[in-house]
Structures are given as structure tokens and as C-alpha cells.
Amino acid sequence: LGGAVVARTAVTVAMARTAQTSANTRPLAGAACLAAMVSILRVTGVVLIVKPGVLFAMLPEALAAAICFAAFGLLFLLRGNKETAPAHTSQNPFDLTALLLFALLFAVVSTASAAVVGQFGSGSLVVTSALSGTFDVDVAVLSALRLLGQGVTAATIGQAVLAALAANAVGRLSLAIAAGPVSFWVPYLGATLAAAAVGFAVYLAPLDGLLGS
């Protein structure tokens, strides 16, 4: 779980590769689900710190998906046996190359997002966030958050954050399918689809509407 805070995609790929030689892949799929939960909570924390005004626009859906991932993760872990998986080392978050690459991506995506939004309107932010979020959800989220107060509403930015999270989940799932065996990625696929469905259901049925009924 600690590695998921630093390198979420790397953790998922590491689990998938380990599953190739493991006789018990269910706990590894559970660990990948818990890493996905941590990823969502981490992005939620970033929103809270950087632009708290956007938080409510994405919090219900994000929490619903995170809880779903947590439930599946615990279920897979409990169903697995007591076999101990090899330890994984997380990437160094202060590695100079990684920081420089992050800064470069942030500058490029931020500039591109601002240009696209200026040309096509705030609705295009959701699309650009989804595209960039496939590769790096942090860059996509921070680029979207910086547009608050520049003609883009908190609701639109919240949708962009959710789109980036969804696209990043699809990206991680694709890597898991490419790197891991069927016995690993099928449970992970089911958990991802369930989390997406729960989050989308919350999006379609706002909490204030449910409370008022």
C-alpha cells in the first residue's frame, strides 16, 4: 500500500508480473485493488489540499469507487491462503529523473489544457484530462485544478478529475492484462468494472437528491 502512494501503476505491474510465477494469484489481485483504492484517496487528498472548492464535485463518486475497491481487495485477500508474496520496492518519489519528467509533463499538459479549453470551451477539459490521465493522473488532475477561476467551474473540474481517475484505472488494467496471467487480471477486471459502475451510479443519483427523497 505504501508503494501505491508513490507509484501506483508500477505497483500494479509488479503484482501482475509476480502473479506470472505465483501459484496463488488471488491475494495479489487483492493487493492491486487496495493499491487502486489508495490511488483514489491520494488524488482526493491532492484536491483537498490544492483546490478544496472542487472537492465536493468529485468526492461522492471517488469515495464510492474507493470503497468498492477496498471491499474487493479485502475479499480477495481473505479468500487467498497465507502464502507470503515477495516484497516489492517502490520507486523513490524524490528521484531527480522522475521529478524532471513530472515537471515537463505538467508544463506541457497544463499549457495544452489551457489552450484547448480556451479554444473549445470548458467542456473539452474533461476530454483532455481523460487522455492525459491515462498516463499520469497527477499531471491531469493538477492541470485541471489550476484552471479553477479561469472561466471553468468547480463542477466541470470535478468531472475532469473523475475522468482522469477513470482513464488511469483503464490504463492500469490494460498493463495488468499485458503483464499478468488470466487468474490475476480477471478478478482485477471485475473489481475495476464494479468500482466504475458504483461511481457512475452515484454520479447519476446525487447524494442531495437521495437525501431529499
Side-chain angles (χ1 to χ4, degrees):
L1 290 182
V5 177
V6 178
R8 300 158 301 283
T9 302
V11 168
T12 302
V13 173
M15 295 293 178
R17 288 176 176 172
T18 301
Q20 289 281 14
T21 56
S22 176
N24 185 23
T25 60
R26 191 62 61 88
L28 294 171
C33 290
L34 293 180
M37 173 203 69
V38 172
S39 175
I40 297 173
L41 296 180
R42 181 180 184 276
V43 168
T44 303
V46 169
V47 174
L48 175 63
I49 293 172
V50 178
K51 295 291 184 181
V54 178
L55 185 63
F56 187 73
M58 51 77 64
L59 182 62
E61 296 86 350
L63 282 184
I67 292 172
C68 187
F69 269 124
F72 274 95
L74 293 176
L75 176 64
F76 294 155
L77 287 174
L78 291 175
R79 285 192 172 183
N81 58 29
K82 301 298 183 179
E83 177 182 337
T84 303
H88 304 289
T89 56
S90 60
Q91 296 178 349
N92 180 4
F94 301 106
D95 179 73
L96 181 59
T97 302
L99 289 176
L100 289 176
L101 180 59
F102 179 87
L104 177 61
L105 285 173
F106 178 65
V108 171
V109 173
S110 297
T111 303
S113 296
V116 171
V117 171
Q119 181 70 26
F120 300 102
S122 60
S124 60
L125 178 62
V126 176
V127 177
T128 58
S129 295
L131 292 175
S132 57
T134 304
F135 306 100
D136 195 319
V137 69
D138 293 327
V139 170
V141 169
L142 290 173
S143 299
L145 292 177
R146 68 185 294 269
L147 295 177
L148 183 65
Q150 301 182 30
V152 183
T153 65
T156 299
I157 294 178
Q159 293 174 357
V161 171
L162 293 173
L165 283 170
N168 192 252
V170 172
R172 289 197 312 271
L173 176 61
S174 300
L175 292 175
I177 293 174
V182 174
S183 59
F184 170 80
W185 63 258
V186 165
Y188 186 55
L189 169 63
T192 301
L193 291 177
V198 170
F200 189 61
V202 173
Y203 175 78
L204 293 179
L207 293 183
D208 54 353
L210 292 176
L211 293 175
S213 58

